[in-house]
Amino acid sequence: MKRVSLLSTLGAFALAACGGEPDTASLDGEPAPIPPAATAEELADMQVTLGSLDGLTVDLTDGAGSGQMGERVTLLAAYEATGDFDSDGVTETAVLVVTEPGGTGTFTHLLAARTGADGVVEQVAEKLLGDRQQFHRFETKADSLLIELTTQAPNDPMCCPTRRAQQIYVIRDGQWRLWRDNTLSAAPPDIQDGVVRRDSSVPQAGPVRSGGAGG
């Protein structure tokens, strides 16, 4: 009985030295709660950083904001998709923003954001897609992002894109990666499980890229 009493006393001192009661959630093996996906209102007021524009950082208010040099940044609210794009068990929200830095260019950036542990929506990935593109589909396919757009063919001027394509993106190492890029014919190729099934009758826009390759 004295041995048990001594062990109990030592245990009490150990708990006191560690700052009080043990973390029962850790002892019970309970996982930390997963934050909910960001709402449209939170996305419209988040801070965005555009590495492709020399790290331009803008605080959006109701979906729009301006940089120090007058660069205009606008969230395209019509395009939003949620999924676990980096396969880490937490949901991200993919969105598009357009920047007008001056001149004739209107550049579209693909962003991903999620709610952090502190409840604040934070950007987790960004990629410049191009200039003056048109977007037709923007949706989740098996934890990847499908974008159907009209973009520039190799010989198109920037003003006048003519190539309609389906592109699939995933997030790897904190960056959006282009996983598939297929030029469309009149009938789009089938999409199953996030993979565009190649059709030999459809002209390809260069080599098909696989996950992990740079985009």
Side-chain angles (χ1 to χ4, degrees):
M1 296 297 293
K2 290 182 179 180
R3 182 186 178 98
V4 172
S5 177
L6 177 60
L7 290 175
S8 300
T9 302
L10 290 174
F13 278 122
L15 285 176
C18 292
E21 295 297 323
D23 184 351
T24 55
S26 299
L27 292 176
D28 293 340
E30 293 291 335
I34 297 176
T39 66
E41 292 76 12
E42 290 171 331
L43 293 168
D45 291 332
M46 72 175 181
Q47 182 181 84
V48 302
T49 300
L50 306 176
S52 48
L53 287 181
D54 299 323
L56 172 67
T57 298
V58 173
D59 292 318
L60 299 181
T61 301
D62 294 331
S66 298
Q68 293 184 346
M69 303 300 293
E71 308 94 333
R72 187 67 175 167
V73 180
T74 305
L75 176 71
L76 299 182
Y79 302 97
E80 181 180 318
T82 58
D84 186 9
F85 301 121
D86 57 4
S87 302
D88 68 348
V90 180
T91 298
E92 292 84 34
T93 302
V95 294
L96 296 176
V97 299
V98 168
T99 60
E100 299 171 86
T104 58
T106 303
F107 301 95
T108 306
H109 307 255
L110 173 62
L111 305 184
R114 66 184 178 195
T115 307
D118 57 0
V120 177
V121 173
E122 57 187 9
Q123 178 184 313
V124 295
E126 180 260 341
K127 181 180 179 62
L128 174 64
L129 296 183
D131 182 13
R132 284 169 281 189
Q133 297 160 319
Q134 303 166 27
F135 294 87
H136 313 293
R137 293 174 65 188
F138 192 85
E139 58 193 63
T140 304
K141 291 291 183 180
D143 288 339
S144 60
L145 177 68
L146 167 68
I147 300 177
E148 185 174 313
L149 75 166
T150 300
T151 188
Q152 285 80 7
N155 296 321
D156 285 347
M158 296 306 292
C159 69
C160 310
T162 61
R163 175 183 170 245
R164 186 151 176 158
Q166 281 183 344
Q167 298 178 343
I168 293 179
Y169 291 87
V170 295
I171 298 175
R172 295 293 181 266
D173 300 321
Q175 298 183 28
W176 283 109
R177 304 289 187 180
L178 180 60
W179 185 35
R180 292 287 189 271
D181 184 0
N182 280 14
T183 298
L184 296 182
S185 63
D190 290 336
I191 300 177
Q192 298 176 3
D193 301 327
V195 176
V196 177
R197 309 301 179 186
R198 297 187 66 178
D199 181 348
S200 60
S201 67
V202 178
Q204 300 299 311
V208 174
R209 306 180 187 181
S210 59

